[in-house]
Amino acid sequence: MNKDFPKIISFLRKDRGLSQKRVAADLEISQALLSHYEKGIRECGLDFLIKIAEYYDVSCDYLLGRTVNQKSTEISDNFDINEDISLLKGNVITQINKKQLLQSTSVIFDILAKIGNKNLTSAISNYLMEAEYQVFRKIYSAENNNNQSIFSISNGKYSSLCNASMLLELEIINSIIEDENISIALSPDIIATYFDKNASSIFNIIQYSERNIKNIYSHTNLK
């Protein structure tokens, strides 16, 4: 199939609040096989692609990451297939990642609101904002001709200073949690019940982040 298909079908199922057991039964396949499809361990055939597209009421192109439109659309007279498909390719994953980041951030701040510690909320907010600042600045500064006047810290210093600041914020977060004995009872079931659809984004963030961390770890000499 392709590398986007597993993540897209996994996202669709979780976004609609469906269990693997339920979807597998509806599609008349084993839960193990569906799990393999969602993890990219096995590739499905064309028949299953059509069947799951009909099940979720989306187009096959959407499942393959070729368009951000879930439903099929008519091709206009000025449609340039080579140009337009190349622009759209990967945008489905971008939209999924964007939604998951927004939803998971919402869960984090809902948990912080429940804890009710202003210092902890402030430190975590600082950490997340500095992460976004650094990513945005790297993208912005990739073009040498972009006006740098919006930044007060020089290009040569911001990255190391930002990394140091983020490490300090993590220490502050740890210190607040330890010194003020902050804790909140959470479990997968509590998260799934309390946060409803946003919960799947947290679970996905955990899954994808740990997978990436393990991949990086496996390619280093730290083992």
Side-chain angles (χ1 to χ4, degrees):
M1 194 56 60
N2 71 7
K3 63 183 179 63
D4 294 339
F5 178 75
K7 186 170 185 178
I8 293 171
I9 62 171
S10 177
F11 166 78
L12 285 171
R13 177 179 60 77
K14 294 175 182 178
D15 187 56
R16 300 184 187 190
L18 300 171
S19 66
Q20 273 191 349
K21 183 177 181 180
R22 163 72 184 278
V23 175
D26 290 344
L27 295 174
E28 299 178 330
I29 61 173
S30 69
Q31 184 177 344
L33 181 57
L34 178 60
S35 176
H36 285 173
Y37 288 157
E38 289 189 356
K39 292 178 180 178
I41 296 174
R42 291 185 60 177
E43 292 188 352
C44 74
L46 180 58
D47 288 343
F48 181 79
L49 173 64
I50 296 171
K51 191 172 185 178
I52 198 168
E54 292 175 346
Y55 180 78
Y56 287 123
D57 193 24
V58 298
S59 70
C60 291
D61 278 343
Y62 178 81
L63 291 178
L64 296 175
R66 293 170 63 87
T67 176
V68 296
N69 297 315
Q70 290 196 359
K71 303 292 183 66
S72 298
T73 55
E74 293 184 0
I75 299 175
S76 60
D77 292 337
N78 60 353
F79 180 83
D80 185 333
I81 189 166
N82 292 320
E83 178 180 355
D84 289 4
I85 285 184
S86 66
L87 289 173
L88 290 173
K89 189 175 182 181
N91 280 359
V92 177
I93 298 300
T94 298
Q95 294 300 317
I96 289 174
N97 288 341
K98 177 181 176 181
K99 184 172 183 178
Q100 289 181 341
L101 285 169
L102 290 173
Q103 289 180 337
S104 60
T105 301
S106 176
V107 170
I108 290 171
F109 278 96
D110 284 346
I111 293 173
L112 288 172
K114 194 172 181 64
I115 292 172
N117 186 294
K118 292 182 179 179
N119 292 331
L120 181 61
T121 300
S122 177
I124 290 176
S125 298
N126 290 342
Y127 180 86
L128 293 174
M129 285 190 286
E130 287 170 13
E132 291 200 11
Y133 159 79
Q134 185 163 200
V135 170
F136 171 78
R137 185 157 182 182
K138 285 185 182 297
I139 295 170
Y140 183 94
S141 302
E143 170 52 62
N144 294 328
N145 293 325
N146 286 345
N147 190 319
Q148 298 290 316
S149 63
I150 62 173
F151 306 114
S152 61
I153 303 174
S154 69
N155 237 354
K157 294 181 178 179
Y158 85 88
S159 186
S160 58
L161 290 175
C162 192
N163 287 334
S165 180
M166 290 175 68
L167 286 173
L168 179 59
E169 291 295 348
L170 279 178
E171 288 301 315
I172 293 172
I173 291 167
N174 290 334
S175 178
I176 293 171
I177 290 174
E178 292 176 3
D179 294 347
E180 302 189 29
N181 294 317
I182 292 173
S183 65
I184 182 170
L186 292 172
S187 70
D189 288 340
I190 291 173
I191 294 171
T193 301
Y194 187 79
F195 299 108
D196 196 23
K197 287 188 177 181
N198 285 353
S200 65
S201 292
I202 277 288
F203 298 142
N204 283 339
I205 291 292
I206 294 170
Q207 177 184 349
Y208 297 133
S209 294
E210 291 193 345
R211 184 184 301 164
N212 288 337
I213 292 167
K214 290 175 181 177
N215 285 339
I216 292 173
Y217 179 76
S218 67
H219 288 91
T220 66
N221 295 321
L222 299 176
K223 295 184 291 183

